Amino acid sequence: MAQPDTKKIFFENLSGAGKAIAVLTSGGDAQGMNAAVRAVVRMGLYVGAKVYFIHEGYQGMVDGGENIREAKWESVSSMLQVGGTVIGSARCKDFRTHEGRLKAALNLVQRGITNLCVIGGDGSLTGANLFREEWSGLLAELVEQGALEADAVQQYSALHIVGMVGSIDNDFCGTDMTIGTDSALHRIIEVVDAIMTTAQSHQRTFVLEVMGRHCGYLALVSALACGADWVLIPEMPPEDGWEEKMCQKLSANRAGMKRLNIIIVAEGAIDRNNKPITTDYIKDLVVKCLGFDTRVTILGHVQRGGTPSAFDRILASRIGVEAVLALLETTANTPACVVSLVGNQSVRVPLMECVQMTQEVQKAMDGKRFEEAVKLRGRSFENNLKTYKLLAHRKPESELPVSNFNVAVLNVGAPAAGMNAAVRSAVRVGISEGHKMFAVSDGFEGFSKGQIREFKWADVGGWTGQGGSLLGTKRTLPAKHVEKIAEQMRKHNINALLIIGGFEAFESLLQLFEARGTYEEFCIPMCMLPSTISNNIPGTDLSIGADTALNAIVETCDRIKQSASGTKRRVFIIETMGGYCGYLATVGGLAAGADAAYIYEEPFDIRDLQANVEHLTEKMKTSIQRGLVLRNENSSENYTTDFIYQLYSEEGKGVFDCRKNVLGHMQQGGAPSPFDRNFGTKISAKAMQWITKKLTETFRQDEGRVFANTEDTCCLLGMRRRALVFQPVVQLTDDTDFVHRIPKEQWWLKLRPLMKILAKYKTSYDVSDSGQLEHVVHNRPKELDASVAM
């Protein structure tokens, strides 16, 4: 880690000196709320503000006293990995009354608090906005009653509100993802994966009810992530006669040798007449019509519980820091805002615009305008629904278009969780588009040997939740086998190619593009999907597999830290994978609460190491019991994991002892996370639609063949900030460090100062990329067909 510098992170008008910020969690709890509280407290203290906890939500604000306590740096130690909210949450009837808000205003003013960070759902945030609007009137009333001095009205004239949405339901318009949603999906998918094994053993049908109130997001995304046979959500009730269609589909799947059926039902599921559809109704229907052994599982509050996922910790930390910046920049005329996530970027949107649009969704559903409700939910929700329909419901052969095109799909490079979901999506979308789909085993090595076979719809059933690469994958590049590969492409008449893989896949596509000059067989549309745990591919912010690896790192770090509970002070040195790319070490460090993360992209020397040891020693002398240091495997040739371990052990004598752990290939294994399943599924579907379009454009009628030799027919599909973008691979070469196999510019490097700040370092922080206030109706570009958030 680079030596901490003392450069100011803010312009002078962003100083928090003299300001008081209070943070509260309200309404239902959600995993990740504690990470948000931690980020607000530590960023607030970092900029010189006083920070207060308000315990028990609005009830604590009304009751005052010990419910409003000043927070210290150590107050939020060891809470990053804790589910729920440690400062408590409560439904508060008192705050809904004028008298209750009057008491709350007095309690805040007595402590000089005029900046509120509210973490909750739409009800909590609406209440906060009403409180802000009434603020001056409440103070005037308190002066009249003699509870406040007259000058207090002038001194505390405005209440500033910034919201963060904490809700597992993901039902708040204006953000792609709310805090807690990803963790809830983890709980659901863990249960579904477990249920699928027992269902398969007994040839059972399972009906699962998931939470979400009046929003079907959890049901829809979990159905995508597990390949459910049927899903029922309130935003898109089934057409009349759906019962017969569902039973036909379940029966057809069983006839196709599928031993289980999964039906997912949102708790707010309704039919076209707004009548609730219950799990018991579905169970009775299946038993009566099909005679299948059927079980009902209602997941309930297990979805709210447990440790937050890596995604939720990072999301909460990022927008918690952004919330403090927003409060520091707020003026008396600034509307209350919500800090939200759009694509891979944090933005600020007016709170009441979000609330009003959220209410419009319910009005549309009440008025049976269901298509409008889906659109109001946002592009991410709409695209999830389209993708599910595309993959779950196979059209009869007679309804499929006939393209006469053959498309091959293969995996290249190291295996990554989510590859199989991407292959399944490609095969099924390709078949739906009328193509013949061919799967290549063992990458380009298998291609050269003719390990190619046609895949049908059923061949990829159950692939979504499988880890690794079921097709087989190798690091072999095509250049050494190019002639044999061209021969196999002629033999199987391959008209388009989809490559799913890591840096080797990127290099392979460049080699195939170069080979077009020699072999016309490669003059076809070719597309690459980035899939590697290292997340080191140019042209994309994220790669399939990186989220699963992050979760493996974070879970292991949690366990390692817990192993020191009750012992003397201890520091853990953890080595992560990633080649020369420090993504896993940096973002894993942010999610696990690391004190330092050593990476290749940010050179460090012995002075930096010494400064880090001294910094950790100082923290250990207070109340901090455990330290965590991550090191990327190739961060330095000489400062190895052993060297750093020995240095820390020697320098920490008498204060802490040291342990080391090399995580190794466990980061590559395991079932894919919900994020990777859905990210792989959606970008693969988009890639296949692009391939179909390019095939149509490049087909030469007079010659009866496809001929594509332009740059824009050989592309990488990547997530760039807010949108999925197809980029010609040759245009990405200037952005690539081929020696170290990393992009020359990497967005996540901007998260490193954030990690340092939360670890109590003084460092510089780039505010140029912080969110600007945007209108909720305009905050998504037209091409955002798939959100990074799922």
Side-chain angles (χ1 to χ4, degrees):
M1 177 177 284
Q3 189 168 351
D5 67 61
T6 54
K7 195 169 101 182
K8 285 188 179 178
I9 66 166
F10 300 108
F11 307 108
E12 295 219 348
N13 64 339
L14 286 180
S15 170
K19 294 194 176 185
I21 298 171
V23 58
L24 72 149
T25 53
S26 177
D29 64 313
Q31 309 96 316
M33 279 184 164
N34 290 323
V37 170
R38 172 180 176 267
V40 170
V41 169
R42 291 196 166 174
M43 191 64 175
L45 293 173
Y46 187 81
V47 299
K50 270 191 173 183
V51 185
Y52 291 85
F53 292 134
I54 300 179
H55 291 264
E56 311 307 332
Y58 285 116
Q59 191 65 57
M61 196 190 294
V62 173
D63 294 343
E66 280 299 299
N67 289 305
I68 306 176
R69 299 180 215 161
E70 190 172 349
K72 302 297 182 187
W73 192 274
E74 293 75 21
S75 305
V76 292
S77 295
S78 301
M79 65 190 284
L80 189 62
Q81 68 272 22
V82 179
T85 165
V86 298
I87 61 174
S89 182
R91 310 284 180 188
C92 181
K93 291 181 180 177
D94 293 338
F95 192 75
R96 295 177 185 175
T97 67
H98 181 77
E99 292 73 18
R101 293 192 291 276
L102 199 64
K103 287 180 185 177
L106 178 61
N107 288 328
L108 293 185
V109 170
Q110 285 174 339
R111 293 164 178 80
I113 298 169
T114 57
N115 296 281
L116 272 186
C117 189
V118 181
I119 307 166
D122 57 343
S124 304
L125 298 177
T126 304
N129 191 62
L130 175 63
F131 192 39
R132 184 187 73 91
E133 290 173 345
E134 290 183 348
W135 181 257
S136 57
L138 293 171
L139 295 197
E141 201 172 325
L142 289 168
V143 170
E144 281 179 28
Q145 294 175 1
L148 282 183
E149 297 293 330
D151 61 353
V153 177
Q154 184 67 32
Q155 188 177 354
Y156 305 112
S157 59
L159 179 67
H160 305 301
I161 303 279
V162 171
M164 290 186 278
V165 191
S167 167
I168 69 166
D169 303 330
N170 204 31
D171 59 350
F172 194 81
C173 294
T175 183
D176 284 343
M177 203 71 159
T178 57
I179 297 169
T181 304
D182 185 67
S183 300
L185 285 168
H186 273 256
R187 300 295 94 77
I188 294 167
I189 295 306
E190 284 163 12
V191 172
V192 173
D193 284 353
I195 278 175
M196 286 174 88
T197 58
T198 182
Q200 205 155 23
S201 301
H202 297 277
Q203 294 196 54
R204 281 182 176 146
T205 296
F206 268 88
V207 184
L208 279 78
E209 180 183 289
V210 301
M211 294 176 95
R213 292 193 304 172
H214 304 296
C215 178
Y217 185 88
L218 288 178
L220 177 59
V221 174
S222 55
L224 254 181
C226 71
D229 297 273
W230 203 268
V231 66
L232 292 155
I233 59 172
E235 292 86 352
M236 189 53 67
E239 301 286 348
D240 292 342
W242 64 273
E243 293 96 336
E244 186 181 346
K245 288 181 182 176
M246 184 185 77
C247 289
Q248 284 175 354
K249 186 181 179 193
L250 298 181
S251 182
N253 285 347
R254 282 292 175 93
M257 304 304 290
K258 188 175 180 181
R259 293 178 58 86
L260 76 156
N261 301 114
I262 299 288
I263 302 165
I264 295 183
V265 187
E267 63 180 346
I270 53 174
D271 63 17
R272 291 268 156 182
N273 298 310
N274 285 340
K275 181 184 173 184
I277 299 174
T278 66
T279 50
D280 285 335
Y281 174 74
I282 295 169
K283 176 193 171 183
D284 294 342
L285 178 71
V286 174
V287 171
K288 180 183 173 184
C289 296
L290 301 174
F292 291 171
D293 186 4
T294 306
R295 299 286 190 273
V296 169
T297 300
I298 297 174
L299 299 186
H301 281 73
V302 69
Q303 296 158 86
R304 285 192 187 280
T307 300
S309 66
F311 183 98
D312 272 328
R313 299 184 198 195
I314 297 157
L315 169 66
S317 298
R318 286 177 70 181
I319 66 176
V321 166
E322 186 68 36
V324 173
L325 293 177
L327 281 173
L328 296 180
E329 294 173 358
T330 300
T331 65
N333 300 321
T334 307
C337 74
V338 173
V339 180
S340 69
L341 183 79
V342 177
N344 191 30
Q345 191 176 13
S346 57
V347 299
R348 304 172 194 172
V349 284
L351 189 155
M352 289 316 295
E353 282 188 18
C354 297
V355 169
Q356 284 159 9
M357 186 170 281
T358 304
Q359 292 169 348
E360 285 297 319
V361 177
Q362 192 58 50
K363 287 178 185 174
M365 286 160 60
D366 292 341
K368 301 182 182 180
R369 303 188 308 275
F370 298 113
E371 288 187 8
E372 183 184 335
V374 169
K375 288 186 182 299
L376 286 168
R377 282 278 184 231
R379 299 284 296 190
S380 176
F381 187 96
E382 189 178 5
N383 194 60
N384 277 317
L385 186 56
K386 284 178 183 174
T387 308
Y388 177 78
K389 287 178 178 177
L390 203 58
L391 296 172
H393 302 294
R394 184 182 182 183
K395 293 177 183 175
E397 295 285 341
S398 57
E399 292 182 23
L400 290 174
V402 181
S403 71
N404 294 318
F405 292 126
N406 295 344
V407 181
V409 57
L410 70 159
N411 295 334
V412 177
M419 275 183 164
N420 297 320
V423 172
R424 169 185 176 268
S425 178
V427 168
R428 292 197 168 178
V429 173
I431 291 170
S432 296
E433 301 273 331
H435 310 316
K436 274 189 178 180
M437 296 301 299
F438 289 82
V440 181
S441 299
D442 297 336
F444 283 108
E445 194 171 309
F447 210 144
S448 68
K449 295 174 182 176
Q451 295 172 211
I452 306 165
R453 70 183 181 97
E454 187 179 351
F455 261 35
K456 300 293 187 181
W457 187 278
D459 291 331
V460 289
W463 279 38
T464 314
Q466 299 291 316
S469 167
L470 294 174
L471 282 184
T473 181
K474 299 246 175 149
R475 295 179 183 271
T476 310
L477 298 179
K480 60 191 292 189
H481 302 295
V482 67
E483 189 173 339
K484 289 182 179 178
I485 294 168
E487 184 184 319
Q488 292 296 332
M489 291 186 76
R490 273 196 309 276
K491 181 179 175 182
H492 292 89
N493 190 28
I494 301 299
N495 306 120
L497 203 56
L498 179 66
I499 304 172
I500 303 165
F503 202 86
E504 291 88 355
F506 175 64
E507 291 181 298
S508 296
L509 208 52
L510 285 170
Q511 290 182 3
L512 294 181
F513 181 79
E514 288 297 318
R516 280 178 169 179
T518 311
Y519 299 94
E520 284 197 357
E521 288 79 5
F522 301 115
C523 293
I524 58 172
M526 295 184 284
C527 184
M528 175 200 160
L529 302 181
S531 180
T532 167
I533 68 166
S534 303
N535 199 33
N536 62 332
I537 310 297
T540 188
D541 289 354
L542 290 171
S543 301
I544 302 164
D547 182 74
T548 305
L550 276 178
N551 278 286
I553 292 167
V554 169
E555 286 166 18
T556 307
C557 288
D558 286 351
R559 292 184 184 186
I560 285 170
K561 287 197 293 184
Q562 193 178 44
S563 72
S565 181
T567 65
K568 60 183 178 178
R569 293 182 174 92
R570 182 164 287 169
V571 174
F572 296 95
I573 313 295
I574 312 292
E575 181 181 297
T576 66
M577 294 176 82
Y580 285 95
C581 180
Y583 175 81
L584 291 179
T586 296
V587 183
L590 178 61
D595 296 277
Y598 301 112
I599 63 171
Y600 167 78
E601 293 92 340
E602 193 173 283
F604 58 97
D605 58 25
I606 195 68
R607 292 180 295 276
D608 300 319
L609 291 167
Q610 183 64 36
N612 294 152
V613 174
E614 290 171 0
H615 181 83
L616 203 48
T617 304
E618 280 303 307
K619 286 171 71 176
M620 287 285 183
K621 287 176 181 176
T622 57
S623 61
I624 304 295
Q625 297 294 317
R626 298 181 293 270
L628 184 65
V629 175
L630 270 64
R631 177 190 175 273
N632 170 247
E633 60 185 351
N634 288 344
S635 55
S636 171
E637 187 179 346
N638 296 310
Y639 298 130
T640 63
T641 301
D642 283 336
F643 178 92
I644 293 172
Y645 162 69
Q646 289 165 1
L647 176 70
Y648 273 74
S649 297
E650 182 65 29
E651 296 297 317
K653 274 183 180 175
V655 180
F656 59 81
D657 68 355
C658 220
R659 296 287 186 275
K660 66 175 177 178
N661 197 302
V662 178
L663 300 185
H665 281 77
M666 63 165 291
Q667 297 159 82
Q668 260 182 342
S673 67
F675 182 101
D676 279 330
R677 297 183 194 200
N678 287 295
F679 189 48
T681 296
K682 291 202 289 189
I683 68 169
S684 188
K686 189 175 178 70
M688 284 306 303
Q689 289 167 336
W690 176 87
I691 283 173
T692 299
K693 182 183 172 202
K694 291 297 178 186
L695 282 169
T696 306
E697 289 174 356
T698 59
F699 183 70
R700 294 183 172 180
Q701 292 281 357
D702 54 336
E703 299 177 26
R705 64 169 183 146
V706 172
F707 186 83
N709 64 350
T710 55
E711 289 183 359
D712 66 346
T713 57
C714 184
C715 286
L716 177 147
L717 174 56
M719 167 58 69
R720 282 287 181 96
R721 292 169 72 86
R722 301 198 195 188
L724 285 173
V725 185
F726 289 96
Q727 301 147 97
V729 286
V730 289
Q731 294 179 13
L732 294 171
T733 54
D734 290 340
D735 302 330
T736 308
D737 175 352
F738 283 94
V739 175
H740 298 100
R741 298 157 57 90
I742 54 174
K744 289 179 181 175
E745 289 188 14
Q746 303 186 85
W747 69 272
W748 51 264
L749 286 169
K750 290 187 177 181
L751 297 181
R752 287 187 63 76
L754 181 60
M755 184 191 70
K756 294 177 190 177
I757 287 168
L758 297 179
K760 212 174 182 178
Y761 283 93
K762 286 291 178 187
T763 187
S764 58
Y765 187 67
D766 181 7
V767 296
S768 63
D769 202 34
S770 57
Q772 303 301 313
L773 195 65
E774 301 180 9
H775 292 291
V776 65
V777 291
H778 300 307
N779 70 354
R780 287 177 177 80
K782 289 180 181 178
E783 291 305 312
L784 183 58
D785 286 336
S787 153
V788 68
M790 273 182 283

